[in-house]
Amino acid sequence: MGEQDSLTSPVEIIDLPEDLVDAAVALWQQTGLTRPWNDPHEDCRRALAGAESTVLAAVDARHRLLGTVMLGQDGHRGWIYYTAVEKSLQGGGIGKRLLTAAEDWLRDRGVPKLMLMVRQENAEVQQFYRGMGYTDQDTVVLGRWLDS
């Protein structure tokens, strides 16, 4: 369904307000972005509290959450996470607007490069990012838990 078909008011991109944190986590769960080993509420709170990170939200005039993108930067690279759009609105341009807003947020802070991770099996999302000009960086992402 397209954006015009599903929305009755304009979409605004804002920093995620505290009263929409639970809605953001519910959206992440509905779109399959959460994993049992990560606490999405804590991820969200940490990003909102950080000086070099935020969560951007797409909202309508009724303050209804339509989509999110979490982002941050380390001084060299920007990273985005939890990019999600309400399923009935996917394909209507909200994801592109969120991604563009994230890029602008990082660009305004002098960050030269944006990185993101997409699970191997998520071909549809990989196609979305490729359509926005993102390319495979020929890297392997390694990780390690800092808590024992």
Side-chain angles (χ1 to χ4, degrees), residues 89-142:
L89 301 174
Q90 290 178 359
I94 294 171
K96 289 179 182 180
R97 288 191 53 197
L98 282 163
L99 189 55
T100 299
E103 291 172 352
D104 290 343
W105 189 96
L106 291 163
R107 195 176 289 111
D108 289 348
R109 287 156 179 78
V111 178
K113 187 174 186 179
L114 173 56
M115 304 289 287
L116 57 98
M117 294 178 280
V118 178
R119 296 194 184 278
Q120 290 287 343
E121 68 273 8
N122 203 339
E124 186 178 352
V125 170
Q126 290 177 42
Q127 183 178 349
F128 165 76
Y129 285 115
R130 286 190 176 99
M132 294 286 296
Y134 289 76
T135 60
D136 188 327
Q137 298 295 291
D138 296 322
T139 60
V140 173
V141 178
L142 303 173

Side-chain angles (χ1 to χ4, degrees), residues 52-103:
E52 300 300 331
S53 58
T54 194
V55 179
L56 299 177
V59 296
D60 65 13
R62 295 180 312 235
H63 195 64
R64 183 173 65 113
L65 183 68
L66 310 174
T68 65
V69 61
M70 179 187 291
L71 62 148
Q73 64 104 3
D74 60 17
H76 179 65
R77 288 186 177 93
W79 287 87
I80 62 172
Y81 310 90
Y82 290 112
T83 304
V85 173
E86 184 181 307
K87 286 189 179 199
S88 68
L89 301 174
Q90 290 178 359
I94 294 171
K96 289 179 182 180
R97 288 191 53 197
L98 282 163
L99 189 55
T100 299
E103 291 172 352

